[in-house]
Amino acid sequence: MSWAIRRMAAADIDAVLALEEKTPEAPHWNRLEYERCLVASDPGSVVRAAFVADADGEVVGFSVGKLVAGVCELESMAVACEARGRGIGSALVTAVTDWARANGGDRIELEVRASNARAIRLYERSGLCREGLRTGYYHSPDEDAVLMGAPLWSGGKLA
């Protein structure tokens, strides 16, 4: 399977929603939330960017970042089960961090389900560190969130 990371387009939203539905650990957003990621924000407002992993015309992963006051939050990310283990997750994290850095970001943060060991390992390999725990953060099922973060720097990698 060959794949490439690109900015999300409006035509990708149905596929992103379908992938999200098949991924219980992913945040579940509605169409409007993804549409907001595609619209240029007014100066001083929240800035978002969304990326997809495209494998021969099929969306097999996505990531969404939000940038506020120099801090990028990796808000949502998922990779299709059949596409995992091929570097797509790392590439999606890199797409968000590169975008954040190019737009003045100096830090990245996220929350991840405490039981999602695979995602935690991915984020640690990407340079993020565990910084805390938010008890009872997730629902359906109820679960704690591991808080992770790292500074960004202009050398092209997480610090």
Side-chain angles (χ1 to χ4, degrees):
M1 169 193 318
S2 64
W3 52 269
I5 305 299
R6 61 174 171 76
R7 288 295 287 261
M8 184 185 295
D12 298 319
I13 295 176
D14 286 337
V16 166
L17 288 166
L19 175 56
E20 173 191 280
E21 188 175 308
K22 293 184 220 173
T23 312
E25 62 272 19
H28 297 289
W29 292 5
N30 61 41
R31 174 177 298 282
L32 182 59
E33 288 298 317
Y34 290 109
E35 288 173 351
R36 288 181 179 150
C37 296
L38 307 178
V39 177
S41 300
D42 295 326
S45 68
V46 173
V47 177
R48 281 193 167 116
F51 300 88
V52 295
D54 183 317
D56 304 318
E58 180 183 351
V59 172
V60 295
F62 67 90
S63 60
V64 178
K66 173 176 76 175
L67 187 60
V68 179
V71 178
C72 176
E73 181 181 355
L74 180 57
E75 291 188 293
S76 185
M77 187 169 124
V79 176
C81 289
E82 66 275 8
R84 292 178 184 173
R86 298 178 183 182
I88 293 170
S90 281
L92 287 164
V93 171
T94 298
V96 170
T97 57
D98 287 350
W99 164 80
R101 195 177 298 108
N103 287 279
D106 54 22
R107 179 168 175 73
I108 185 165
E109 298 176 345
L110 60 86
E111 297 97 8
V112 59
R113 286 185 178 271
S115 65
N116 195 343
R118 186 178 189 128
I120 291 170
R121 282 192 307 275
L122 166 70
Y123 299 137
E124 288 174 337
R125 282 193 314 269
S126 296
L128 284 87
C129 299
R130 296 176 197 224
E131 297 181 330
L133 192 70
R134 187 168 286 148
T135 56
Y137 182 76
Y138 291 106
H139 302 287
S140 298
D142 292 346
E143 190 171 353
D144 297 341
V146 175
L147 305 176
M148 301 184 77
L152 300 173
W153 58 284
S154 61
K157 298 180 183 177
L158 293 175

